[in-house]
């Protein structure tokens, strides 16, 4: 399947069979057309962007430069706690509706032993429910193992906002940006497909340099392959 196809809303996804796809990502819709003797099903784009898929072609999506996130189940997101209530939290993940995070939706959480998140806290979570007519729901554990697997409150560091397309690029194993940055100095990162990237390096200067690098590449001012030398220069300037 080609991932270079540029689509507009209403376009049929090229070279994609609805029978082979097991999961629809953002920007796609399964629809049908009733003929004289049978009903044909096909996939269409619901927004402008580039067709993307996983390695096996089982999941497809349309990624664009927009920043309005449309929740999809099993996707990893970074959100900000905006309200607390008796049963959990309301979290801003950049979608049209606030998401809900149950206070027990953490590894090992019980009514007597559960996280105490504050308004403004950052969380790395998984979308467990996404429905057009309901607010999305989040969980901070892996659906298969029931372990945290990195889903938790994010402390320290900084969050960089980028396009949805950029966040998916950073998650792709062959995209060169993060490996090139890691060759300069070690850092931790959590990437949400909602266009939020959390980073934490050994120093504030390095953390700022990483954030600036992601923004520069996302906005097209430098190429991903040339970012290493650019970071070295910026780090020197910030350290002065």
């Amino acid at each position: 399947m080609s991932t270079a196809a540029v689509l507009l809303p209403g376009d049929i996804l090229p070279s994609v069979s609805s029978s082979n796809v097991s999961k629809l990502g953002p920007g796609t819709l399964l629809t049908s057309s009733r003929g004289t003797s049978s009903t044909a099903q096909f996939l269409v784009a619901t927004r402008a962007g580039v067709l993307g898929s996983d390695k096996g072609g089982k999941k497809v999506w349309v990624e664009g430069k927009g920043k309005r996130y449309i929740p999809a189940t099993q996707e990893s997101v970074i959100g900000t706690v905006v309200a607390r209530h008796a049963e959990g939290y309301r979290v801003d993940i950049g979608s049209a509706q606030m998401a809900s995070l149950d206070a027990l939706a953490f590894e090992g959480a019980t009514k007597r032993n559960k996280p105490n998140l504050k308004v403004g806290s950052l969380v790395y979570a998984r979308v467990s429910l996404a429905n057009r007519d309901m607010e999305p729901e989040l969980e901070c554990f892996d659906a298969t193992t029931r372990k945290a697997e990195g889903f938790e409150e994010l402390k320290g560091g900084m969050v960089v906002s980028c396009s949805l397309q950029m966040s998916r690029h950073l998650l792709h194993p062959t995209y060169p940006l993060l490996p090139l940055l890691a060759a300069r100095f070690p850092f931790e990162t959590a990437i949400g497909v909602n266009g939020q990237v959390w980073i934490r390096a050994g120093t504030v200067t390095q953390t700022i340099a990483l954030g600036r690098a992601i923004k520069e590449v996302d906005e097209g001012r430098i190429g991903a392959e040339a970012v290493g030398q650019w970071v070295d220069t910026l780090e020197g300037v910030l350290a002065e």
Side-chain angles (χ1 to χ4, degrees):
M1 178 190 307
S2 171
T3 58
V6 178
L7 302 171
L8 296 175
D11 286 349
I12 296 176
L13 273 58
S15 304
V16 177
S17 172
S18 60
S19 61
N20 294 332
V21 175
S22 59
K23 187 175 181 182
L24 297 180
T28 61
L29 175 69
L30 178 64
T31 187
S32 59
S33 175
R34 186 175 298 278
T36 56
S37 59
S38 63
T39 300
Q41 291 189 321
F42 50 91
L43 300 171
V44 299
T46 60
R47 66 184 181 194
V50 178
L51 175 63
S53 69
D54 61 8
K55 186 176 181 180
K58 295 297 184 181
K59 179 181 178 180
V60 294
W61 60 85
V62 176
E63 55 187 28
K65 294 291 285 185
K67 293 189 176 182
R68 171 65 72 184
Y69 173 61
I70 302 175
T73 56
Q74 305 306 319
E75 290 192 333
S76 302
V77 296
I78 294 175
T80 303
V81 175
V82 295
R84 294 161 48 112
H85 53 81
E87 302 298 326
Y89 310 91
R90 292 180 62 79
V91 182
D92 183 3
I93 58 172
S95 60
Q97 294 179 302
M98 295 295 171
S100 63
L101 174 62
D102 193 286
L104 300 180
F106 295 81
E107 179 186 358
T110 65
K111 290 185 177 181
R112 292 188 176 184
N113 180 27
K114 55 187 177 183
N116 182 27
L117 303 180
K118 296 178 172 57
V119 172
S121 296
L122 292 173
V123 290
Y124 186 45
R126 177 181 58 84
V127 179
S128 58
L129 176 66
N131 188 300
R132 180 179 299 180
D133 302 319
M134 299 172 61
E135 67 178 20
E137 295 182 4
L138 307 178
E139 292 176 340
C140 283
F141 52 75
D142 185 88
T144 303
T145 64
R146 311 295 290 184
K147 300 293 184 181
E149 303 291 353
F151 295 119
E152 59 185 355
E153 180 183 4
L154 300 174
K155 299 179 180 179
M158 65 177 288
V159 173
V160 178
S161 297
C162 62
S163 66
L164 304 180
Q165 184 180 45
M166 184 63 181
S167 62
R168 290 191 183 274
H169 283 335
L170 292 173
L171 287 167
H172 199 282
T174 63
Y175 192 67
L177 179 55
L178 293 182
L180 286 172
L181 293 174
R184 260 60 188 182
F185 42 77
F187 61 90
E188 299 175 73
T189 183
I191 303 168
V193 296
N194 58 331
Q196 301 292 304
V197 181
W198 174 83
I199 47 179
R200 182 174 65 187
T203 67
V204 173
T205 298
Q206 292 174 342
T207 301
I208 294 174
L210 290 170
R212 288 279 299 276
I214 293 172
K215 294 288 288 186
E216 291 290 314
V217 174
D218 185 34
E219 295 171 4
R221 287 193 282 267
I222 58 175
E225 293 78 6
V227 75
Q229 183 178 358
W230 183 90
V231 167
D232 289 342
T233 302
L234 177 62
E235 188 182 7
V237 171
L238 293 174
E240 292 180 356

